[in-house]
Amino acid sequence: MTTKSSVTERNSLNLDRYVPALVTALANKLGAGASSCYRKHFGVGVVDWRILAMLAVESDISANRICEVTALDKAATSRALKQLEENGDVEFSKDKQDARRILIRLTPKGKALHDQVLKVALRREALLLADFSDEELDIFIDLLHRMKARLDVVNGYDPASEGG
């Protein structure tokens, strides 16, 4: 039975209401499904897709910028970028203002791949959100942004500071 609490009568988590578990399960299943679909049809995984999507929004950026915006880890980003470069989907160049910095951009082949995957990604999103009204979707997106804005507070929480 679902209660209004994230804790059951037995002092254990109510996984139907514990938001971190719900968000994590949703993200994991969406990511795995996307990766499977994109690999099958386009030869790229979800990490590759997130990089392609980021580079379509913002070109000539560093790998650090990709990590910062997408929340991908540096090792996964580096491996994906290497593969995307080998496939001819991205290219690297030195920053004209700072020769130590390497900038990344989509190639025409990478842009075409992005455009193909984008159609599928948007269709998957539409299927996911089909039961939401426009108003519900606006509220949901607002709530997600508000939760994202609290991440520094949540991740900075130290139980030792409460003395208990």
Side-chain angles (χ1 to χ4, degrees), residues 58-66 92-104:
E58 195 174 323
S59 188
D60 294 301
I61 58 173
S62 68
N64 282 342
R65 175 72 178 154
I66 293 169
F92 297 85
S93 63
K94 287 190 178 178
D95 186 335
K96 290 181 173 88
Q97 280 77 29
D98 182 354
R100 297 170 297 172
R101 221 175 114 189
I102 303 298
L103 303 178
I104 308 151

Side-chain angles (χ1 to χ4, degrees), residues 101-130:
R101 221 175 114 189
I102 303 298
L103 303 178
I104 308 151
R105 76 177 63 85
L106 291 175
T107 63
K109 181 178 183 259
K111 176 68 172 124
L113 174 60
H114 166 271
D115 293 351
Q116 289 179 312
V117 179
L118 178 62
K119 290 175 190 169
V120 173
L122 292 174
R123 179 65 181 137
R124 285 175 48 85
E125 180 193 37
L127 291 168
L128 178 68
L129 302 173

Side-chain angles (χ1 to χ4, degrees), residues 110-159:
K111 176 68 172 124
L113 174 60
H114 166 271
D115 293 351
Q116 289 179 312
V117 179
L118 178 62
K119 290 175 190 169
V120 173
L122 292 174
R123 179 65 181 137
R124 285 175 48 85
E125 180 193 37
L127 291 168
L128 178 68
L129 302 173
D131 292 336
F132 290 90
S133 69
D134 288 347
E135 182 181 345
E136 287 172 324
L137 184 55
D138 287 343
I139 291 167
F140 181 61
I141 290 170
D142 178 62
L143 293 171
L144 289 171
H145 282 292
R146 287 167 50 192
M147 287 171 54
K148 184 179 175 188
R150 304 266 324 142
L151 286 174
D152 286 342
V153 172
V154 172
N155 290 337
Y157 169 68
D158 180 0

